[in-house]
Amino acid sequence: MALSMIVGAQPAVKVVALCGSLRKSSTNRGLIRAATEIAKESIDGLEIEYVDISPLPMLNTDLEVDGTYSPAVEAFRRKILEAESILFASPEYNYSVTAPLKNALDWASRPPNVWGDKAAAIVSSSGSLGGARSQYHLRQIGVFLDLHFINKPEFFLNAYQPPPKFDSHGDLIDCKVREKLKAVLLALHAFSLRLRRTSVVN
């Protein structure tokens, strides 16, 4: 009983969810909405907050003044810093991550890097390979940023292969895909707690 009380007393894992697409009806944003619903409904101790990256200016170090950033950048960096884990929804553009997502990665990596030592997971909704190539590039970037990605389960979704996975608003309607998304979230939750225990020990 003592162990269960200790486990139950743990603070929730706070996840910031970022979407590489800026379209409101993006299926990748639909994945984030579904992930948020799943966390609230069936995963105790996991809180997901979607953070919009569209207000960020294009990276320009002229905008840095005496180690400070514009209000939009400062607010974004604070959200990343305060999060324990990151959920990326990364569509594939031209074999890679999108420009808005790369811009967000770069802004939060400026000194001091606020990505470091956070758990992370990637989901993708795209055509053909389901965004696989964007995920592999994102993992490469994450090495330099000291992000710790879960390795499995992987989540690549071909959004255009029948039967329909999303409705006209970009909301996820496929129950099997929803279960796969839940498996990713459970793995991210478990890995986040593992990193938390490691940091306490160290």
Side-chain angles (χ1 to χ4, degrees):
M1 172 161 315
L3 178 59
S4 64
M5 289 176 64
I6 292 171
V7 171
Q10 289 190 103
V13 172
K14 294 185 178 180
V15 180
V16 159
L18 304 176
C19 182
S21 174
L22 303 185
R23 291 191 308 112
K24 290 184 178 179
S25 60
S26 160
T27 56
N28 284 276
R29 289 184 69 170
L31 289 177
I32 290 178
R33 287 193 294 272
T36 303
E37 293 169 1
I38 291 168
K40 287 181 179 178
E41 294 168 0
S42 57
I43 305 179
D44 290 335
L46 187 71
E47 298 177 358
I48 299 177
E49 178 186 3
Y50 167 67
V51 174
D52 186 8
I53 61 175
S54 63
L56 295 173
M58 289 301 294
L59 183 72
N60 179 353
T61 54
D62 287 344
L63 299 178
E64 300 177 25
V65 181
D66 296 327
T68 63
Y69 303 89
S70 69
V73 174
E74 287 282 8
F76 175 70
R77 287 171 56 84
R78 191 177 311 112
K79 287 289 188 182
I80 301 303
L81 180 64
E82 293 173 353
E84 190 165 0
S85 307
I86 311 296
L87 175 64
F88 293 99
S90 180
E92 181 179 318
Y93 289 7
N94 299 322
Y95 280 30
S96 189
V97 298
T98 66
L101 182 55
K102 182 60 166 62
N103 187 54
L105 289 163
D106 290 343
W107 268 125
S109 73
R110 297 296 299 163
N113 170 34
V114 294
W115 299 111
D117 290 328
K118 298 185 187 298
I122 318 171
V123 296
S124 293
S125 171
S126 270
S128 69
L129 298 179
R133 287 169 293 214
S134 76
Q135 289 201 23
Y136 297 147
H137 275 192
L138 182 49
R139 286 176 180 274
Q140 287 179 312
I141 296 166
V143 171
F144 186 76
L145 301 181
D146 291 325
L147 281 166
H148 305 301
F149 287 100
I150 63 168
N151 291 324
K152 289 186 171 111
E154 294 180 305
F155 187 104
F156 311 121
L157 178 63
N158 185 332
Y160 309 107
Q161 186 176 33
K165 310 296 190 302
F166 300 88
D167 63 18
S168 60
H169 302 291
D171 291 322
L172 183 64
I173 57 175
D174 188 298
C175 294
K176 290 183 179 179
V177 174
R178 197 176 181 90
E179 284 302 310
K180 291 180 179 178
L181 182 56
K182 182 179 179 180
V184 171
L185 298 177
L186 288 170
L188 178 61
H189 185 222
F191 187 46
S192 299
L193 292 177
R194 180 175 152 197
L195 289 181
R196 181 189 289 177
R197 290 193 296 269
T198 301
S199 66
V200 169
V201 170
N202 293 337

